[in-house]
Amino acid sequence: QIFPVIDTLLQAFPQEAPGILHTALLKLLQILLKGEESDMVIASAAAIFARILLQNPQAFGQLMAQAGAAGILGTVGGAEGAVDGGSVLLQYLDVWLDKADSLCTIKSRKLMGLALCSLMALERQVLGQLDQMLSVCASVVLETEGDTMSTPDGWDYWVLRSLEGDEGEGCAGSEGHRKKLLHDSDPVNSLSVR
């Protein structure tokens, strides 16, 4: 799948990647809003935008505004022509909350919970869906309770383990060290949803 690659790019370069991936992200948003893909694909696509929202809220707002100006809602059976970014945001949020249970990993669900918390603080217009948002956040808190996120999904336990202590200090250029730095810089691994 392409989603883990996009997520890693957004995680490693939160300021630059949304601009570089701008056209692809707008197309992905259009696909997400159409809802013609499987629930898992839509949820994974929504998680990409959750990553942008969490790490670069300004880029997220710009994407929603540009999607509205481009008339994306008109192409998915909504309003005709250009609309404001708020309408795109609300439709995105509807789809996102509807497919929230389709996210499989704890890390993805925690990302979603943190991004929803961030969205509640940034956008007053989403408060109409506060009950759904709080329900999802509460389930994320319950799921992550006691989880230390010490070994991220898909990463080699032994690579991360070897970097703990003295033997990891001398391999600053190694792939394992870069993965650990990326892991440690990820807000999903350092912030709590409580």
Side-chain angles (χ1 to χ4, degrees):
Q1 272 198 16
I2 190 76
F3 294 127
V5 174
I6 294 172
D7 185 62
T8 301
L9 278 171
L10 291 168
Q11 182 183 342
F13 306 104
Q15 301 305 313
E16 300 86 358
I20 294 169
L21 300 171
H22 176 264
T23 304
L25 290 170
L26 286 176
K27 183 65 177 172
L28 183 61
L29 183 60
Q30 183 179 12
I31 291 168
L32 182 147
L33 294 176
K34 279 186 179 180
E36 295 175 354
E37 297 293 329
S38 72
D39 288 355
M40 187 178 284
V41 169
I42 291 172
S44 297
I48 295 297
F49 292 98
R51 167 75 62 194
I52 297 169
L53 172 61
L54 183 61
Q55 293 194 262
N56 191 342
Q58 183 179 1
F60 178 82
Q62 288 173 347
L63 273 170
M64 294 297 149
Q66 291 167 350
I72 282 183
L73 286 182
T75 64
V76 295
E80 292 289 325
V83 296
D84 68 342
S87 298
V88 176
L89 172 63
L90 291 176
Q91 186 163 347
Y92 161 73
L93 185 59
D94 283 340
V95 172
W96 188 19
L97 291 171
D98 184 50
K99 306 302 181 194
D101 290 334
S102 297
L103 288 172
C104 299
T105 65
I106 290 175
K107 184 175 180 176
S108 297
R109 297 203 32 92
K110 186 174 177 185
L111 170 63
M112 177 183 55
L114 290 169
L116 282 172
C117 290
S118 176
L119 185 61
M120 284 187 266
L122 294 174
E123 295 288 338
R124 289 181 182 245
Q125 65 191 10
V126 301
L127 295 180
Q129 294 168 310
L130 186 62
D131 57 337
Q132 290 175 294
M133 295 169 72
L134 289 176
S135 175
V136 169
C137 290
S139 71
V140 170
V141 168
L142 291 174
E143 290 170 11
T144 59
E145 193 170 293
D147 180 45
T148 61
M149 299 294 291
S150 58
T151 307
D153 293 332
W155 287 18
D156 186 355
Y157 171 79
W158 297 110
V159 170
L160 291 174
R161 182 78 178 160
S162 71
L163 291 174
E164 296 173 357
D166 295 336
E167 56 189 288
E169 309 254 342
C171 58
S174 75
E175 180 181 352
H177 186 73
R178 288 189 304 271
K179 284 183 178 181
K180 177 138 176 45
L181 289 175
L182 188 61
H183 171 265
D184 292 345
S185 69
D186 188 356
V188 174
N189 298 320
S190 60
L191 296 176
S192 173
V193 289
R194 295 181 208 190

